[in-house]
Amino acid sequence: MSAVQTAATGGENHGTRGRHGREVAAGQRFEFGRNWQRFLQRLTPERIAAAERSLGEMLEAGSLAGMSLLDVGSGSGLFSLAARRLGARVHSFDYDPQSVACTRRLRERFFGDDHEWTIDEGSVLDADYLRSLGKFDLVYSWGVLHHTGAMWQALANVVLPVADGGRLFLAIYNTQRFLTPAHTLLKRSYVRSPRPLRAMIATG
């Protein structure tokens, strides 16, 4: 991308949105945001509290006050919400516009127009975008980078916004000899199928 929206503006990067839509239409990308929309319909105070506890335990901190956290691939926005509840200044971004909408919905529900929690559309594969965000004490990306189609590039880029002395927390799938090829074939079949057939594949 060229003209990049920064955390300060909280604006949408419409170039990213256009690419995402074209990739979905071409059967090259799964619409994770649709799943997150359904997840938010079932989100309970207990799940929010559990996310807050797990994040605090992982970061070995009861409070994140005075710290900044970048949520790379925010998905539903649940862990961005958990970080904000723990006191961190948060910037969330996702490549999927529906995921971005989910994250914004959570912010509006629990924090209103909070200037300490900014949300954007962006790609972890765009090094210029990541540099534009500045540096963060904590960079968090859980179960995201292996979905980019360019995992090694994503791993190199996600280090860019980590501040000196900061910490990077990430999780990626491991490769399993038999299950990984089977799951890959299933996912490719799903995204390339007409919508009426997707439910059959998902429940088959």
Side-chain angles (χ1 to χ4, degrees), residues 32-33 35-37 39-40 43 47-48 51-52 55 69 71-85 90-94 96 98-108 110-111 117-119 140 142 144:
F32 287 100
N35 285 354
W36 291 129
Q37 288 173 344
F39 172 79
L40 289 188
L43 184 61
R47 284 189 173 183
I48 295 171
E52 191 173 337
L55 184 63
L69 181 141
D71 189 355
V72 178
S74 57
S76 69
L78 176 58
F79 280 88
S80 289
L81 173 63
R84 188 70 191 98
R85 284 164 64 103
V90 177
H91 181 68
S92 317
F93 77 88
D94 203 294
D96 185 324
Q98 292 175 321
S99 294
V100 173
C102 288
T103 302
R104 287 190 173 131
R105 193 172 305 137
L106 276 190
R107 182 186 62 183
E108 292 166 5
F110 291 98
F111 281 89
W117 181 1
T118 53
I119 303 167
Y140 175 90
W142 214 253
V144 172

Side-chain angles (χ1 to χ4, degrees), residues 96-152:
D96 185 324
Q98 292 175 321
S99 294
V100 173
C102 288
T103 302
R104 287 190 173 131
R105 193 172 305 137
L106 276 190
R107 182 186 62 183
E108 292 166 5
R109 178 179 172 186
F110 291 98
F111 281 89
D113 188 18
D114 182 8
H115 298 295
E116 294 295 297
W117 181 1
T118 53
I119 303 167
D120 201 5
E121 288 182 23
S123 171
V124 71
L125 299 180
D126 186 344
D128 289 338
Y129 172 73
L130 289 170
R131 291 189 186 98
S132 79
L133 299 177
K135 299 293 185 178
F136 292 80
D137 301 307
L138 304 167
V139 175
Y140 175 90
S141 185
W142 214 253
V144 172
L145 303 186
H146 46 269
H147 293 298
T148 62
M151 189 182 71
W152 293 110

Side-chain angles (χ1 to χ4, degrees), residues 17-32 34 95-98 191-193 195 198:
R17 173 174 292 194
R19 283 202 304 276
H20 180 273
R22 289 193 296 273
E23 290 167 358
V24 169
Q28 298 171 341
R29 186 167 297 276
F30 182 78
E31 293 178 279
F32 287 100
R34 290 184 179 272
Y95 187 66
D96 185 324
Q98 292 175 321
V191 298
R192 291 172 180 169
S193 297
R195 287 192 183 278
R198 291 182 181 181

